[in-house]
Amino acid sequence: MKKLSLIALAAMAACTPKATEDMTDNKIHLITLDPGHFHAALVQKSMYEDIDSSVHIYAPDTPDLDLHMAKIEQYNSREEKPTSWNSEIYEGNDYLEKMLEEKAGNVVVLAGSNLKKTEYIAKSVDAGFNVLADKPMAINAEDYELLKQAFATAKEKGVLLYDIMTERSEITTILQKELSQDAELFGELEVGTPENPAVTKESVHHFFKYVSGSPLIRPSWFFDTKQQGEGIVDVTTHLIDLTFWECFPETVINPEDVSLVAARRWPTVLTPSDFEKVTGQTEFPDFLQSSINEGNLETYANGEIIYTINGHHAKVSVIWNYQAPEGTGDTHYSIMRGTKANLVIKQGAEQGYKPTLYIKPVTEISDEEAQAAIDNLLSTYDGLTLEKSENGWKVVIPAKYDIGHEAHFAQVMERFIEYYKNGNMPAWEVPNMLTKYGLSTKALQMASE
């Protein structure tokens, strides 16, 4: 039986949804399954020529659906470039079975609790759906084994299974990658050591933040590592992905090409008032009681992994604080160490909390040589300039390339659409995803021991 929440009804009131059972138009017909993370909505912040405007949503009877539909309605009703999504909602305890039975679309979008995500992936792929899943696809070793089976099934059935890697679309990261391929400027990637890796990526996030101009309300399960996963298997997937993507572009990275060196984890402490502000709940739910210490919640949201890729040392770390100081936000630090120059991304107070890319020579490099490296990129990224900075240069990037994190979801979707239309993905994508999740889940095991 179909149930519609009040917010869902409001989101649908503007227009009558059209049926999507007839999918002979070669378009993508989206299904959103059990949305519980705001990333599920961000995929729909834009409209796409190749995606039908009607979206089928299957979800249990929880507040998560109302939060999801509120964001869809916000996008549909905004003044500037409003979207025109039509939502057809099934709300009930048999939501998964109903989705598999009705086959109302051809691409399943997954962004929510990670407790069942790998199961959702496996069952969706087995039913012949393509899947676009938010990270992480697997949060423990058992999930990873199921994920491997899902990728094998996807290959057998000829469907796509892809995770949402937004950080590949961040302009400073793109340019860091491009400049690292310029041997005249960068030289070769250092081998590094565990203490001084060739590549380091550090990410600081905050539980309380604003999304699309509104305070973000997170579901209480977000703080349960059995449902969300620990930090060492969550945001680190972005960072591991970038080390593969930047250091060895378009190259297959197999498990034997990666070696885990060290891993550690530690908790973030939230007071009852912190928890209420970010979830709207006045008490810690029963499933979090095992994580309560002296009245406060300890959630293992932080982690660090040191590993080698093709013999080069890398380190990734993620930290979750409760709330950033006023005027600040999430931050990112990255360094790629070359034999001629280091490429550094900073996002601190000095940079106004905006990612900024620097070239730091370790051998003598002239202004002309540095400018030549930038000139080589101008045909693709026009408007780039250099500005002298302490011990090197700052890469000055035109504002048109700084589109913000939320817009990166549309760029990921455009990439997925291209893969869908081609009927396949680049040969390195699937093996690199498998290696990435194998590394993160193995790191969790090591850190837990």
Side-chain angles (χ1 to χ4, degrees):
M1 179 178 178
K2 183 178 288 187
K3 280 175 53 182
L4 298 181
S5 64
L6 292 177
I7 293 178
L9 285 168
M12 296 169 59
C15 47
T16 302
K18 62 181 181 180
T20 61
E21 283 73 8
D22 180 9
M23 291 178 281
T24 58
D25 54 8
N26 295 320
K27 283 192 171 187
I28 288 176
H29 295 260
L30 293 179
I31 294 173
T32 304
L33 178 63
D34 192 10
H37 193 288
F38 67 96
H39 288 177
L42 284 178
V43 167
Q44 293 179 239
K45 194 174 181 181
S46 301
M47 301 297 295
Y48 311 88
E49 182 179 348
D50 295 293
I51 298 181
D52 189 86
S53 61
S54 289
V55 178
H56 284 258
I57 302 169
Y58 296 84
D61 184 7
T62 70
D64 290 349
L65 178 60
D66 285 346
L67 292 172
H68 174 75
M69 292 310 305
K71 290 184 176 63
I72 300 300
E73 170 60 11
Q74 179 184 352
Y75 303 149
N76 275 350
S77 60
R78 68 192 177 206
E79 291 186 8
E80 185 177 353
K81 294 183 179 179
T83 53
S84 54
W85 297 107
N86 306 309
S87 299
E88 296 195 38
I89 302 171
Y90 181 89
E91 188 177 352
N93 292 333
D94 60 343
Y95 61 95
L96 177 59
E97 292 78 9
K98 185 64 68 172
M99 184 206 81
L100 297 174
E101 173 192 335
E102 292 187 347
K103 296 187 183 300
N106 48 27
V107 173
V108 175
V109 174
L110 292 171
S113 170
N114 297 314
L115 179 65
K116 297 181 179 180
K117 184 184 286 178
T118 316
E119 176 192 353
Y120 289 162
I121 289 171
K123 289 187 175 180
S124 297
V125 167
D126 192 55
F129 293 105
N130 301 274
V131 174
L132 179 63
D134 193 29
K135 58 78 193 161
M137 283 184 169
I139 61 173
N140 53 48
E142 183 180 0
D143 283 350
Y144 178 61
E145 292 303 316
L146 183 57
L147 182 64
K148 287 197 293 185
Q149 295 175 26
F151 271 109
T153 302
K155 181 178 180 180
E156 176 187 328
K157 292 185 175 288
V159 297
L160 302 183
L161 173 53
Y162 193 56
D163 60 356
I164 299 175
M165 291 287 103
T166 52
E167 297 309 304
R168 293 186 197 173
S169 300
E170 209 288 312
I171 186 61
T172 55
T173 301
I174 292 171
L175 295 176
Q176 185 183 46
K177 174 192 175 188
E178 294 282 359
L179 291 172
S180 73
Q181 300 305 302
D182 190 325
E184 294 300 315
L185 175 77
F186 182 71
E188 297 179 354
L189 183 67
E190 292 277 13
V191 171
T193 65
E195 297 75 24
N196 189 21
V199 55
T200 298
K201 292 188 176 292
E202 300 173 350
S203 182
V204 179
H205 294 256
H206 301 88
F207 287 124
F208 184 81
K209 65 171 73 174
Y210 289 86
V211 174
S212 300
S214 302
L216 174 63
I217 299 298
R218 295 187 188 273
S220 57
W221 59 254
F222 188 82
F223 301 92
D224 179 11
T225 56
K226 294 182 180 65
Q227 298 184 65
Q228 174 61 23
E230 294 200 13
I232 200 169
V233 293
D234 187 9
V235 178
T236 54
T237 57
H238 277 304
L239 307 182
I240 294 169
D241 181 80
L242 292 181
T243 64
F244 293 179
W245 183 73
E246 290 190 73
C247 296
F248 301 97
E250 300 181 13
T251 300
V252 171
I253 306 293
N254 289 312
E256 59 268 25
D257 301 320
V258 173
S259 178
L260 179 61
V261 176
R264 64 187 184 98
R265 62 203 267 272
W266 64 97
T268 298
V269 178
L270 278 74
T271 66
S273 61
D274 292 339
F275 187 77
E276 181 178 359
K277 186 175 179 181
V278 76
T279 67
Q281 298 189 24
T282 57
E283 296 181 354
F284 294 120
D286 290 342
F287 59 75
L288 289 177
Q289 291 305 312
S290 62
S291 300
I292 305 301
N293 185 11
E294 297 183 352
N296 296 323
L297 174 66
E298 294 183 346
T299 181
Y300 276 85
N302 312 294
E304 176 184 278
I305 310 172
I306 300 173
Y307 55 101
T308 62
I309 322 164
N310 294 329
H312 298 263
H313 286 83
K315 181 177 79 170
V316 299
S317 66
V318 59
I319 294 173
W320 278 86
N321 296 322
Y322 169 64
Q323 183 176 2
E326 188 173 352
T328 70
D330 295 350
T331 63
H332 177 69
Y333 169 80
S334 172
I335 181 170
M336 295 183 71
R337 296 175 51 237
T339 53
K340 293 184 178 180
N342 296 333
L343 302 171
V344 185
I345 298 172
K346 294 183 178 181
Q347 192 183 0
E350 181 184 348
Q351 292 78 32
Y353 297 98
K354 288 196 172 292
T356 305
L357 176 61
Y358 298 90
I359 302 170
K360 304 284 188 180
V362 295
T363 61
E364 185 151 348
I365 298 176
S366 67
D367 290 345
E368 291 74 20
E369 289 171 318
Q371 185 61 52
I374 296 298
D375 290 344
N376 290 336
L377 300 175
L378 291 179
S379 60
T380 306
Y381 306 99
D382 65 288
L384 297 178
T385 58
L386 283 179
E387 180 182 294
K388 288 292 286 186
S389 67
E390 185 179 2
N391 302 322
W393 302 269
K394 178 172 78 172
V395 180
V396 181
I397 303 170
K400 64 182 178 181
Y401 296 115
D402 182 19
I403 62 175
H405 175 64
E406 293 184 20
H408 295 328
F409 285 83
Q411 293 176 313
V412 173
M413 181 59 87
E414 294 287 359
R415 188 158 63 238
F416 180 80
I417 290 170
E418 179 184 352
Y419 294 167
Y420 179 87
K421 291 167 72 173
N422 292 339
N424 57 39
M425 294 187 286
W428 51 271
E429 284 279 21
V430 169
N432 290 17
M433 279 188 276
L434 284 167
T435 301
K436 172 176 61 184
Y437 289 110
L439 176 62
S440 62
T441 53
K442 187 176 179 181
L444 174 61
Q445 287 181 304
M446 177 182 283
S448 300
E449 294 168 358

